[in-house]
Amino acid sequence: MNIYLREMKAHRTGLIWWCVGMVGLVASGMAKYDAYQGAGVSIEELFATVPKGVMVIFGMTGFDLTKASGFYGVLFLYIALMAAIHAALLGSHLISKEERDRTSEFLYAKPVSRSSALTSKLLAGLTMVVILNIATLLSSFYFVDFFGKGESITADILILMAGLFLLQLIFFTIGTVAAGVVRRPKAAPSIATSFVYLALLVSYLVNMNENLDFLKYLSPFKYFDAAILMADGRLDPVYVALSVVIVVLAVFGTYRFYSARDLTV
Amino acid sequence: MNVIETTKLTKYYGKSRGIVDVDMTVTEGEIYGFIGPNGAGKSTTIRTLLGLIHPTSGSATIFGKDVTTSGPAIREEVGYLPSEVFYYDDMRVIDLLRYSASFYKKDRKAIEQRIKHLAELFDLDLKKKIDDLSYGNKKKVGIIQGLAHEPKLIILDEPTGGLDPLIQQQFFHLLKEENEKGATILFSSHILSEVQKLCDRVAIIKDGSIIKVEQIKTLLENSTKRFKLELVNMPDASAFAIEGVSDLALVNHSVSFLYRGRINEITKMLAGQDLIDFLVEEPDLEEIFMHYYQKEDVQ
């Protein structure tokens, strides 16, 4: 509990800024929808000027952009990217910072096992992931309602946030396992975020070329495609199962590698 | 009862040597010195005992428990002060010390009282932020976090760096008090005089292996001193041809040599010299290894 509280306190300011950033992203994104609506030009006409290829790459097809829900669907990709980067950085930072700041010698000379310290850190990380998710959820409810002129997409937002949560968990645990494996603690966060960018790149490749559809399993961004989630109204069980497997393996790997390593002091 | 016992404890970092076949026995209530030059393997041994790094082979027990499987239970009764201290810069001293105390099962109030007592003793402001402390003051925080829970075993890895002489004296006094109360102390250092002041027994480690374990008394009797003389006249080498003198160097009016033996013999010889100045200093550890342990090394 002491390590959990310590981590919550140490990350408090950072988390507040991430939440502010996320609320800002949702607010500014939905404000654009409002601006386009008020511009006297239909959004469809506006987006007709965007090359189709670009629309496909950025996952902007499959949405009715005249509706707030459609607009929010496009915005979700950016929300997901931001949440994924936060989760990856958080996971890797929570584990690697003791060695980076050379406090590991203080902490692990105390009567605490590495696995119980890890459990506290993972729980603190999980709490922060949930807080960012809730901030995203509440701001999405508010700003979609505010700019959407009464259009209710509560169910869509809920399903997207459920997907977002799994996405966050995947990248959070990829961050922790990266920090558990990598010997240089300063390199862990950049390696963890590389996975996010790589996954995003794979999702673009899949969007661009139908022949590469099999690669969709390699990119968690494709597991929670907003257009499909909103159309189906549910999460794909295959992707949920795949997410759970990735998270469980990553958590197991984190314990395994972190407990076995020689700490850098 | 043996508090620390290692058997052929070995640690390699990849291919590079950390320690090799270290056999060490520290008995309850003793102050055990662990001396060797930098890179000899002192910190590697200590970090292996604390479970910060894992041994390549061999075994180590503390309080009869294996360090690789019973780490948390062992560390409940261990206080540790490393050579360099790093803490959470955003915390205040008191918060750091309370955080440290929160790991132990012992009575929190008693630890809190002891923190205050030790802070007064070392004149440490508990309200300051860690980031604002000088290195010497951070070291004081290290002493307090290591001793506040009154551990049965105190492990110190070159602990005096950054402490001014007065604080060092207080620290040594405190360690002796803890020892009188029953604490066992493992004191690692590369400064012979520190170990001489404090320890009952000393292990000398070189290139990852313990080459000698001696009672400190024996070590003192056999200790080598470096003499540096400045003479009025040109020195006569034959005057220094007495038993126990080695590494003799005569340069103009200066003489330098190592001496091992009864100090009276050398003062008698010095009385016959017309001296401008003279200096007696401890040889560095390398010199001790070169001269004091020449025979052991050859063997």
Side-chain angles (χ1 to χ4, degrees):
Chain A
M1 193 63 180
N2 50 357
I3 297 177
Y4 174 87
L5 292 174
R6 159 77 200 139
E7 294 300 347
M8 291 305 294
K9 206 171 172 186
H11 285 84
R12 187 176 51 194
T13 311
L15 180 63
I16 289 170
W17 282 111
W18 275 99
C19 288
V20 168
M22 186 62 92
V23 171
L25 176 68
V26 175
S28 62
M30 291 314 294
K32 280 200 185 81
Y33 169 74
D34 188 52
Y36 291 142
Q37 289 284 50
V41 185
S42 84
I43 291 180
E44 275 176 323
E45 281 174 33
L46 200 69
F47 279 101
T49 61
V50 180
K52 184 113 192 341
V54 174
M55 297 278 282
V56 170
I57 289 172
F58 289 100
M60 292 163 74
T61 53
F63 295 108
D64 180 355
L65 295 171
T66 60
K67 288 182 175 177
S69 56
F71 207 87
Y72 183 77
V74 174
L75 184 62
F76 179 74
L77 181 66
Y78 300 94
I79 292 172
L81 179 61
M82 189 166 161
I85 291 172
H86 168 259
L89 283 175
L90 178 67
S92 58
H93 186 252
L94 271 169
I95 308 301
S96 65
K97 76 188 170 87
E98 304 286 355
E99 286 176 273
R100 187 200 65 190
D101 299 340
R102 302 183 69 182
T103 50
S104 51
E105 201 169 23
F106 164 79
L107 180 62
Y108 294 108
K110 301 291 161 203
V112 61
S113 67
R114 289 203 207 163
S115 55
S116 73
L118 256 184
T119 304
S120 299
K121 282 170 177 278
L122 291 178
L123 286 175
L126 180 65
T127 309
M128 289 184 259
V129 160
V130 169
I131 290 172
L132 186 65
N133 191 283
I134 289 172
T136 313
L137 176 76
L138 296 178
S139 58
S140 298
F141 278 154
Y142 180 78
F143 289 108
V144 170
D145 183 60
F146 185 81
F147 293 114
K149 315 250 176 335
E151 183 189 341
S152 174
I153 58 161
T154 303
D156 286 339
I157 291 175
L158 282 174
I159 201 72
L160 287 175
M161 288 306 115
L164 183 71
F165 179 60
L166 285 173
L167 188 77
Q168 285 173 288
L169 285 186
I170 290 172
F171 284 109
F172 172 68
T173 52
I174 284 175
T176 61
V177 76
V181 173
V182 174
R183 289 200 174 270
R184 284 184 305 127
K186 281 182 185 165
S190 50
I191 290 171
T193 46
S194 300
F195 278 100
V196 177
Y197 298 125
L198 195 66
L200 191 69
L201 184 69
V202 170
S203 78
Y204 286 166
L205 289 174
V206 174
N207 288 345
M208 276 161 55
N209 190 337
E210 283 177 7
N211 294 330
L212 297 174
D213 194 53
F214 64 95
L215 287 177
K216 65 188 177 186
Y217 296 106
L218 294 179
S219 174
F221 288 103
K222 291 303 291 177
Y223 302 180
F224 309 107
D225 187 309
I228 296 170
L229 291 186
M230 290 165 86
D232 291 355
R234 67 181 180 93
L235 299 172
D236 185 328
V238 174
Y239 287 136
V240 171
L242 199 54
S243 304
V244 171
V245 169
I246 292 171
V247 170
V248 168
L249 284 178
V251 169
F252 177 76
T254 306
Y255 278 98
R256 181 86 180 73
F257 291 114
Y258 193 64
S259 297
R261 70 186 285 160
D262 286 338
L263 291 172
T264 312
V265 286
Chain B
M1 181 195 158
N2 292 334
V3 172
I4 301 175
E5 195 168 349
T6 70
T7 311
K8 295 201 173 301
L9 192 65
T10 300
K11 175 66 188 176
Y12 276 89
Y13 300 99
K15 283 183 181 171
S16 56
R17 182 271 305 159
I19 49 172
V20 183
D21 291 342
V22 168
D23 291 323
M24 184 164 77
T25 306
V26 182
T27 55
E28 190 174 10
E30 81 172 324
I31 307 183
Y32 190 90
F34 197 35
I35 193 157
N38 292 327
K42 301 185 297 294
S43 297
T44 298
T45 307
I46 287 174
R47 285 168 185 166
T48 309
L49 290 174
L50 290 165
L52 299 170
I53 55 177
H54 303 291
T56 308
S57 63
S59 65
T61 60
I62 295 180
F63 309 124
K65 293 171 186 157
D66 192 308
V67 297
T68 57
T69 54
S70 304
I74 290 169
R75 294 193 294 269
E76 189 71 41
E77 293 294 350
V78 173
Y80 172 54
L81 175 62
S83 52
E84 288 184 277
V85 292
F86 294 94
Y87 300 118
Y88 307 97
D89 285 343
D90 59 320
M91 285 176 119
R92 290 184 311 148
V93 174
I94 186 67
D95 296 330
L96 185 278
L97 292 172
R98 281 179 183 150
Y99 181 50
S100 170
S102 70
F103 288 94
Y104 299 97
K105 288 177 188 150
K106 290 180 179 165
D107 178 31
R108 202 66 61 80
K109 273 187 186 167
I111 299 181
E112 181 94 13
Q113 275 179 354
R114 196 162 146 84
I115 287 171
K116 284 184 181 152
H117 165 70
L118 292 173
E120 271 175 34
L121 181 72
F122 289 111
D123 190 25
L124 180 67
D125 185 352
L126 292 172
K127 287 178 186 160
K128 273 200 168 181
K129 267 182 91 172
I130 298 283
D131 202 23
D132 296 333
L133 296 181
S134 66
Y135 187 69
N137 279 334
K138 277 187 192 170
K139 212 66 194 260
K140 292 178 188 175
V141 175
I143 295 172
I144 299 174
Q145 64 80 33
L147 300 182
H149 58 291
E150 299 194 271
K152 287 182 186 161
L153 172 64
I154 300 168
I155 297 179
L156 308 158
D157 188 5
E158 304 197 10
T160 53
L163 293 177
D164 65 50
L166 188 68
I167 299 294
Q168 262 188 44
Q169 204 180 346
Q170 281 176 324
F171 177 47
F172 280 15
H173 183 70
L174 179 66
L175 289 177
K176 281 187 174 158
E177 270 183 8
E178 291 305 304
N179 180 243
E180 279 161 19
K181 282 195 272 177
T184 307
I185 299 173
L186 174 63
F187 186 97
S188 140
S189 177
H190 64 272
I191 304 165
L192 193 59
S193 60
E194 282 185 358
V195 177
Q196 284 173 353
K197 266 185 217 167
L198 201 66
C199 301
D200 308 318
R201 214 152 56 103
V202 60
I204 298 182
I205 186 167
K206 186 187 178 192
D207 296 336
S209 300
I210 290 184
I211 57 169
K212 192 86 181 171
V213 181
E214 287 259 40
Q215 290 291 330
I216 203 78
K217 210 176 134 195
T218 317
L219 190 75
L220 281 172
E221 281 167 4
N222 290 303
S223 75
T224 308
K225 298 264 190 284
R226 176 166 288 286
F227 284 75
K228 288 178 181 172
L229 315 179
E230 201 67 41
L231 303 175
V232 175
N233 305 314
M234 288 296 277
D236 173 11
S238 63
F240 300 94
I242 57 174
E243 201 185 330
V245 169
S246 62
D247 206 20
L248 179 68
L250 292 84
V251 182
N252 298 325
H253 290 255
S254 302
V255 183
S256 165
F257 59 89
L258 289 172
Y259 179 70
R260 193 176 116 192
R262 280 168 53 79
I263 212 81
N264 272 352
E265 296 300 319
I266 209 82
T267 51
K268 274 183 206 163
M269 183 274 288
L270 289 176
Q273 301 292 324
D274 199 359
L275 290 168
I276 297 171
D277 196 7
F278 86 100
L279 188 70
V280 185
E281 57 187 22
E282 284 180 355
D284 61 34
L285 280 169
E286 282 305 320
E287 285 175 321
I288 291 180
F289 295 136
M290 290 288 284
H291 296 276
Y292 186 72
Y293 290 105
Q294 230 163 14
K295 285 178 192 169
E296 284 82 353
D297 275 3
V298 169
Q299 281 164 12

